[in-house]
């Protein structure tokens, strides 16, 4: 078998496994085996760029950056839907339809997936482009991002039309959404509000590798095109399934509006058992011939109707308002409710967000309140049942002092939240900061968990994260549930963290608003903690993606003597406070502002090594040649079309040796 065949076979095989896993939900090999095959393909593709295919399974991991999304005019306009809210609304709709068309009418009922609409165009079985709905006439092209979504086939199967559009909803299943939020909370970042906004926000991320990390899915509901050889909506759904798309099985064909009403009632009750959120049902006249007869209003098809579910609401008693203190000292008021069933789960607590929210709704302990679960997963209180307010009820007075340490709270100008300013003495802040420091994405200290941190602080063995490095086995053993072996593991784990690279140490410090990505940016730019500590706000905001809010927070952090002292202690214990020498030696600004395309096979370096060299030296790797390309680094077997294109655009072509000289 020649290499090209081998690559082709691997692509086909991986595509099939992808389909089994994501569409059929029925994998036939382990994740590990899948990864190994993908790796094998990646290596072959790297070595043979002449067989590049933009729709290869390797292209799903993302990595391409989009600065501006192009506007694209849809081939077929994307209409909105008319809404209905009751049985009567639907019956009226049926009456209107029956006046306009002859014969029996059948309906396809589908769930109304709550996400972001997407139009995918396929040509010769390959994904050509993905465009958001926009204003219905034109939308933004987000192909690079959508390619990373596993349920979007890059290559179709079976007997597909030559060119067509298919529409669907990009959604974020609830489980994946909750996982993303767990991580955000662990990073002390504000959790995402609901899956819908998170899904649609994901489509506009500039870094497609970030999109690839999110467990998005695409559920399809309609095909559009000329000569599709399909005569009903339901048939269209079945065909789409055969071509490899994910079309939920809940879609059903109904013979009368009475059956439609049963379908609506069923899903209103059972929707919470679905792995994703829906906000209603969509009913479509099944025959495409009848659809054509019915046509469109200026806004929506006459042949389709959305039935919107009411957000579920219950009323229950608010027993008590308590206050939580976060790692940054932020106070969150919490409503402790009389447990009540809502949307398939028992609700005991709801967030009250902040003091303004409590005041606006005049929420008081003892009140009967209405709790709703709409688009948001976390239930919220939407109103007080004033008729049921107890006689001697008193307005809520927001706390003025920290419930954990008694310090007077402050409310920074322009912020909705109150904060406990007792940075060094407030237990949840002190413990929370150390817990963050040791967490997996920060210093990843093995053998030490969050509860042990709390114990160590409460026993006064440590007061901040720099104290960890002075802990001895002897000090730790007397702690509850601590055997000698685990004490040793703990001390070894702390010792090992001295090797963690600077960018992660910077994240671990727990500077407000300095998350993982910002820490990376700052580490790359300043290269050492000393340079960063000396940076002013004006200086910081010149760094790519660093705004005033982050800059001020960094300056604020290092202006504290206490923090400076902790940093010095970390230094004395040997924690990495600068980019390591060998990494630094390879990093320069020599290619700053240059956009470089790499093509072909090279003698001394792999393509990935070459790309890394470009990035380490400040350049940008770009995948296609345009007038903005600064250099084309050309190896063996580069495609002739690339060379011609570069020559036509007058772009300098460098050999591997010439490129390496450039860096000297
Ligand atoms: P609206 O945004 O309220 O005008 O509703 C129209 C939107 O519902 C469409 O743009 C789709 O994104 C979305 N939708 C979700 N599920 C379906 C479905 N099964 N059929 C048609 N549209 C759907
Ligand atoms: Zn406090």
């Amino acid at each position: 078998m020649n290499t090209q065949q081998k690559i082709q076979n691997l692509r086909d095989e991986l595509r099939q496994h992808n389909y089994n896993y994501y569409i059929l939900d029925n994998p036939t090999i382990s994740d590990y085996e899948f990864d190994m095959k993908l790796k094998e393909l990646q290596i072959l593709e790297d070595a043979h760029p002449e067989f590049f295919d933009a729709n290869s399974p390797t292209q799903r991991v993302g990595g391409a950056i989009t600065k501006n999304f192009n506007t694209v005019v849809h081939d077929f306009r994307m209409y909105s839907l008319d809404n209905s809210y009751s049985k009567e609304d639907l019956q009226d709709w049926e009456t209107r339809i029956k006046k306009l068309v002859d014969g029996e009418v059948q309906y396809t009922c589908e769930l109304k997936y709550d996400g972001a609409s997407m139009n995918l165009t396929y040509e010769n079985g390959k994904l050509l482009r993905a465009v958001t709905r926009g204003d219905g006439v034109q939308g933004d092209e987000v192909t690079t991002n959508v390619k990373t979504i596993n349920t979007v086939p890059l290559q179709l199967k079976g007997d597909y039309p030559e060119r067509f559009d298919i529409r669907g909803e990009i959604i974020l299943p609830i489980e994946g959404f909750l996982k993303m939020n767990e991580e955000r909370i662990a990073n002390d970042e504000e959790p995402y509000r609901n899956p819908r906004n998170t899904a649609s926000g994901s489509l506009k991320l500039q870094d497609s590798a970030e999109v690839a990390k999110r467990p998005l899915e695409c559920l399809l509901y309609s095909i559009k095109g000329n000569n599709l050889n399909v005569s009903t909506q339901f048939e269209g759904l079945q065909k789409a399934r055969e071509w490899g798309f994910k079309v939920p099985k809940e879609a059903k064909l109904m013979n009368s509006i009475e059956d439609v009403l049963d379908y609506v009632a069923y899903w209103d009750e059972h929707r919470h058992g679905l792995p994703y959120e829906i906000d209603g049902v969509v009913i479509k006249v099944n025959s495409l011939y009848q659809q054509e007869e019915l046509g469109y209003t200026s806004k929506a098809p006459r042949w389709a109707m959305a039935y919107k579910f009411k957000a579920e609401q219950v009323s229950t008693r608010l027993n008590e308002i308590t206050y939580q203190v976060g790692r940054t000292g932020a106070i969150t008021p919490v409503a402790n409710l009389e447990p009540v069933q809502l949307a398939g789960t028992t609700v005991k607590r709801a967030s009250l967000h902040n003091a303004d929210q409590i005041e606006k709704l005049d929420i008081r302990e003892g009140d009967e309140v209405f709790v709703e679960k709409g688009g948001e997963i976390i239930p919220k209180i939407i109103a007080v049942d004033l008729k049921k307010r107890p006689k001697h009820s008193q307005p809520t007075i927001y706390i003025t002092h920290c419930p954990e340490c008694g310090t007077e709270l402050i409310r920074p100008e322009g912020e909705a939240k109150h904060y406990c300013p007792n940075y060094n003495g407030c237990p949840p802040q002190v413990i929370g900061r150390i817990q963050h420091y040791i967490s997996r994405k920060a210093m990843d200290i093995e053998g030490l968990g969050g509860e042990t941190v709390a114990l160590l602080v409460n026993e006064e063995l440590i007061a901040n994260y720099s104290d960890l490095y002075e802990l001895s086995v002897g000090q730790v053993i007397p702690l509850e549930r601590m055997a000698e072996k685990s004490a040793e593991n703990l001390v070894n784990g702390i010792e090992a963290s001295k090797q963690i690279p600077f960018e992660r140490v910077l994240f671990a410090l727990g500077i407000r608003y300095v998350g993982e990505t910002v820490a990376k940016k700052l580490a790359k730019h300043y290269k050492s903690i000393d340079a960063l500590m000396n940076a002013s706000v004006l200086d910081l905001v010149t760094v790519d993606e660093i705004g005033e809010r982050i800059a001020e927070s960094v300056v604020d952090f290092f202006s504290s003597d206490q923090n400076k002292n902790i940093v010095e202690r970390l230094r004395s214990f040997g924690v990495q406070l600068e980019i390591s020498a060998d990494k630094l030696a390879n990093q320069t600004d020599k290619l700053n502002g240059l956009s470089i395309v790499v093509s072909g096979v090279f003698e001394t370096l792999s393509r990935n090594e070459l790309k890394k060299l470009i990035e380490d030296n400040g350049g940008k790797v770009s995948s296609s040649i345009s007038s903005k390309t600064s250099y084309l680094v050309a190896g063996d077997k580069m495609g002739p079309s690339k060379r011609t294109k570069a020559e036509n655009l007058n772009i300098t072509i460098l050999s591997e040796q010439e490129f390496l000289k450039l860096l000297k």
Side-chain angles (χ1 to χ4, degrees):
M1 189 170 24
N2 67 28
T3 312
Q4 187 170 12
Q5 268 168 357
K6 204 163 172 190
I7 289 180
Q8 197 48 49
N9 288 352
L10 272 169
R11 283 178 185 158
D12 289 345
E13 198 186 333
L14 284 163
R15 228 168 248 138
Q16 183 61 39
H17 287 308
N18 195 68
Y19 177 77
N20 293 345
Y21 188 99
Y22 290 102
I23 312 280
L24 301 183
D25 211 1
N26 184 20
T28 53
I29 59 169
S30 70
D31 290 359
Y32 177 77
E33 285 170 294
F34 184 90
D35 289 344
M36 286 301 112
K37 283 188 196 293
L38 191 66
K39 209 174 234 168
E40 191 184 343
L41 176 60
Q42 183 72 64
I43 290 169
L44 284 174
E45 288 184 351
D46 279 349
H48 295 276
E50 66 275 23
F51 301 135
F52 175 80
D53 178 355
N55 288 323
S56 164
T58 53
Q59 299 300 304
R60 288 205 190 270
V61 291
I65 307 283
T66 316
K67 279 276 177 224
N68 293 302
F69 296 96
N70 290 331
T71 308
V72 173
V73 177
H74 296 296
D75 286 349
F76 303 90
R77 185 175 152 187
M78 292 180 83
Y79 285 88
S80 178
L81 289 171
D82 283 332
N83 289 324
S84 60
Y85 300 90
S86 66
K87 190 171 146 189
E88 290 70 33
D89 288 350
L90 281 180
Q91 284 162 338
D92 289 350
W93 178 57
E94 187 202 24
T95 313
R96 290 200 301 277
I97 288 174
K98 294 246 157 125
K99 274 190 198 145
L100 292 168
V101 298
D102 295 327
E104 291 299 303
V105 180
Q106 286 189 311
Y107 302 91
T108 299
C109 292
E110 295 162 39
L111 302 179
K112 189 167 189 298
Y113 322 113
D114 202 10
S117 6
M118 180 56 52
N119 187 73
L120 308 173
T121 304
Y122 284 84
E123 203 172 64
N124 299 320
K126 291 193 192 306
L127 175 66
L128 186 67
R129 63 181 197 206
V131 181
T132 63
R133 181 164 93 170
D135 63 3
V137 175
Q138 53 183 36
D140 293 324
E141 197 203 319
V142 290
T143 316
T144 334
N145 285 344
V146 168
K147 260 191 190 170
T148 67
I149 300 172
N150 288 303
T151 40
V152 172
L154 301 180
Q155 168 70 55
L156 303 182
K157 330 186 293 166
D159 190 17
Y160 45 78
E162 192 184 309
R163 180 180 167 120
F164 67 100
D165 280 6
I166 182 159
R167 285 164 185 181
E169 199 82 357
I170 306 286
I171 54 126
L172 189 53
I174 295 166
E175 201 185 304
F177 171 79
L178 293 177
K179 254 204 202 112
M180 280 173 67
N181 263 352
E182 259 171 42
E183 228 167 81
R184 282 184 75 82
I185 290 165
N187 283 342
D188 208 31
E189 292 165 314
E190 187 78 12
Y192 293 116
R193 272 292 169 95
N194 60 51
R196 188 210 316 119
N197 293 354
T198 315
S200 69
S202 304
L203 298 175
K204 290 299 197 62
L205 291 177
Q206 295 192 333
D207 184 354
S208 57
E210 281 303 310
V211 187
K213 285 187 206 152
R214 302 188 173 186
L216 299 162
E217 287 192 18
C218 183
L219 308 179
L220 285 309
Y221 54 72
S222 153
I223 54 178
K224 285 266 178 284
N226 302 317
N227 311 320
L228 290 185
N229 210 3
V230 170
S231 60
T232 69
Q233 165 67 12
F234 201 70
E235 191 190 343
L237 295 181
Q238 279 170 324
K239 286 254 165 88
R241 247 178 232 133
E242 285 163 19
W243 302 333
F245 292 100
K246 181 153 185 168
V247 179
K249 286 279 185 333
E250 287 76 12
K252 290 271 148 47
L253 189 57
M254 298 294 169
N255 287 320
S256 69
I257 212 76
E258 282 67 42
D259 290 350
V260 169
L261 290 172
D262 286 346
Y263 183 91
V264 168
Y266 179 85
W267 284 110
D268 196 0
E269 193 185 327
H270 291 88
R271 61 182 148 136
H272 302 293
L274 292 164
Y276 45 81
E277 295 196 320
I278 60 172
D279 61 338
V281 162
V282 184
I283 306 122
K284 299 170 186 171
V285 169
N286 192 41
S287 150
L288 298 191
Y289 177 74
Q290 287 178 335
Q291 285 191 8
E292 212 164 295
E293 277 186 297
L294 288 161
Y296 296 81
T297 65
S298 63
K299 168 183 159 265
R302 287 199 191 84
W303 45 263
M305 183 58 86
Y307 181 97
K308 289 266 184 108
F309 295 140
K310 283 191 208 62
E312 273 190 70
Q313 252 185 35
V314 283
S315 85
T316 188
R317 211 176 86 99
L318 169 61
N319 289 328
E320 193 191 5
I321 297 176
T322 54
Y323 299 84
Q324 280 177 349
V325 186
R327 145 164 92 78
T328 55
I331 308 288
T332 305
V334 177
N336 296 271
L337 307 165
E338 191 60 37
V340 63
Q341 280 296 116
L342 174 63
T345 51
T346 308
V347 175
K348 291 182 207 138
R349 285 143 63 88
S351 165
L352 292 169
H353 300 294
N354 53 50
D356 290 345
Q357 183 74 7
I358 294 177
E359 198 181 305
K360 200 171 95 200
L361 299 177
D362 187 19
I363 297 174
R364 308 178 183 187
E365 287 181 352
D367 272 343
E368 194 71 20
V369 293
F370 294 106
V371 184
E372 183 176 294
K373 219 167 177 183
E376 268 96 67
I377 293 228
I378 303 153
K380 61 179 179 194
I381 293 179
I382 46 160
V384 173
D385 191 347
L386 291 173
K387 287 189 302 259
K388 293 197 184 152
R389 175 164 276 170
K391 265 221 185 79
H392 301 291
S393 150
Q394 294 294 316
T396 299
I397 299 171
Y398 204 78
I399 50 166
T400 54
H401 290 76
C402 176
E404 300 281 346
C405 73
T407 307
E408 190 169 352
L409 301 179
I410 54 160
R411 182 170 180 179
E413 223 183 271
E415 289 210 30
K417 290 211 165 206
H418 286 71
Y419 288 86
C420 166
N422 185 10
Y423 187 80
N424 294 308
C426 184
Q429 296 187 56
V430 171
I431 294 170
R433 264 198 309 275
I434 305 174
Q435 285 170 337
H436 170 71
Y437 184 83
I438 66 159
S439 65
R440 196 170 50 83
K441 291 192 165 178
M443 302 302 270
D444 193 18
I445 297 187
E446 258 180 68
L448 179 56
E451 281 176 36
T452 310
V453 167
L455 267 178
L456 288 167
V457 173
N458 292 336
E459 295 291 321
E460 295 181 11
L461 287 171
I462 57 172
N464 63 61
Y465 39 69
S466 74
D467 296 340
L468 289 170
Y469 297 93
E470 282 184 328
L471 281 177
S472 66
V473 173
Q475 277 177 307
V476 181
I477 287 180
L479 291 182
E480 233 178 288
R481 276 179 284 145
M482 197 44 93
E484 184 160 338
K485 189 80 197 126
S486 26
E488 273 167 20
N489 284 345
L490 188 158
V491 172
N492 289 340
I494 294 170
E495 181 63 25
S497 76
K498 293 178 183 172
Q499 303 310 320
I500 296 288
F502 174 49
E503 56 184 42
R504 278 173 55 192
V505 178
L506 193 52
F507 170 59
L509 295 182
I511 305 171
R512 190 182 296 168
Y513 308 132
V514 178
E516 256 186 302
T517 329
V518 171
K520 266 190 201 147
K521 289 250 150 73
L522 290 174
K524 191 165 177 210
H525 186 91
Y526 288 99
K527 304 193 170 57
S528 75
I529 199 128
D530 292 317
L532 180 64
M533 282 165 104
N534 284 326
S536 65
V537 170
L538 277 178
D539 192 27
L540 279 154
V541 293
T542 63
V543 183
D544 195 25
E545 282 181 42
I546 306 296
E548 212 161 288
R549 192 182 65 142
I550 301 174
E552 276 169 8
S553 166
V554 170
V555 169
D556 197 47
F557 183 88
F558 291 117
S559 68
S560 135
D561 286 339
Q562 175 91 23
N563 285 338
K564 277 192 255 188
N565 189 17
I566 292 176
V567 169
E568 286 321 310
R569 275 169 59 78
L570 291 177
R571 194 196 307 272
S572 71
F573 296 124
V575 173
Q576 305 292 316
L577 296 179
E578 55 187 38
I579 295 187
S580 68
D582 48 330
K583 205 166 179 187
L584 201 59
N586 294 327
Q587 284 200 354
T588 72
D589 293 336
K590 285 197 178 129
L591 305 178
N592 244 359
L594 299 182
S595 162
I596 300 177
V597 175
V598 177
S599 181
V601 190
F602 300 91
E603 265 167 44
T604 58
L605 296 167
S606 75
R607 266 155 65 89
N608 280 340
E609 282 166 340
L610 199 64
K611 287 182 182 171
K612 191 163 177 306
L613 261 183
I614 294 173
E615 280 169 357
D616 282 348
N617 290 286
K620 270 220 162 84
V621 179
S622 154
S623 58
S624 64
I625 297 175
S626 74
S627 58
K628 296 199 189 85
T629 307
S630 323
Y631 293 113
L632 167 65
V633 186
D636 262 0
K637 297 196 188 126
M638 183 179 74
S641 66
K642 272 213 170 134
R643 181 173 293 273
T644 318
K645 191 160 182 196
E647 280 166 358
N648 286 344
L649 290 168
N650 253 336
I651 287 157
T652 312
I653 303 179
L654 299 176
S655 69
E656 183 179 0
Q657 293 314 319
E658 285 168 325
F659 171 75
L660 291 173
K661 241 185 245 158
L662 200 70
L663 294 180
K664 285 261 161 65

